[in-house]
Amino acid sequence: MPEKRLILEMGTGNDLLGGDYTKAACRAVQDALHHSVMPLFRTLGYDTQDMRVQVTIGVQRPELVDAEVVRAELPRGRPEVKVVFGGLDVRPPEQDMLHVVATAAIEAWLPIESDAWRLMPARE
């Protein structure tokens, strides 16, 4: 059955003192999750465990993110984590440290028949 994307949320996270890419990625995921409420699932009788959750993390050093740790941040569904080049590394000129900024996009997908839903005109 084809999937339909029902939710798209974005978040940002950082690690200002430790230069930890995984910590920044987890904070970006938490930021995105805290922007989202999913009454749609309960209202329509869908189980949130049925959704596929696609997470894309952007950081300057993707190879330094532990995707399994990020995956553990997701409380529902069947999570998949992909880490790509993105985000920011900020190096203050007066200090020898690294500030890591990560971005996250979280998409929730459900298998839904294409004719299962119909948009209705707005009521006045």
Side-chain angles (χ1 to χ4, degrees):
M1 181 178 320
E3 289 183 318
K4 299 284 185 192
R5 183 177 69 184
L6 300 179
I7 296 171
L8 172 62
E9 288 291 346
M10 308 290 185
T12 59
N14 59 64
D15 184 24
L16 295 178
L17 301 175
D20 188 321
Y21 290 87
T22 299
K23 184 183 287 186
C26 288
R27 289 176 175 169
V29 166
Q30 286 299 317
D31 182 49
L33 290 175
H34 285 95
H35 294 163
S36 183
V37 177
M38 296 185 281
L40 174 74
F41 291 90
R42 186 173 295 143
T43 301
L44 297 175
Y46 288 107
D47 185 342
T48 57
Q49 294 307 320
D50 293 336
M51 70 179 163
R52 180 172 61 89
V53 181
Q54 175 63 55
V55 177
T56 304
I57 300 293
V59 291
Q60 289 287 295
R61 302 276 311 272
E63 72 278 7
L64 297 180
V65 174
D66 185 336
E68 286 304 309
V69 171
V70 175
R71 186 179 183 278
E73 295 289 318
L74 298 153
R76 293 176 182 78
R78 299 180 325 275
E80 303 169 358
V81 176
K82 176 173 62 171
V83 185
V84 300
F85 181 79
L88 291 170
D89 281 354
V90 180
R91 295 183 186 277
E94 66 281 352
Q95 298 170 335
D96 183 27
M97 64 176 23
L98 173 64
H99 304 313
V100 175
V101 181
T103 57
I106 301 179
E107 300 170 85
W109 299 79
L110 266 179
I112 297 174
E113 292 291 338
S114 59
D115 60 350
W117 292 358
R118 241 181 346 166
L119 292 177
M120 302 296 287
R123 294 183 186 173
E124 294 187 24

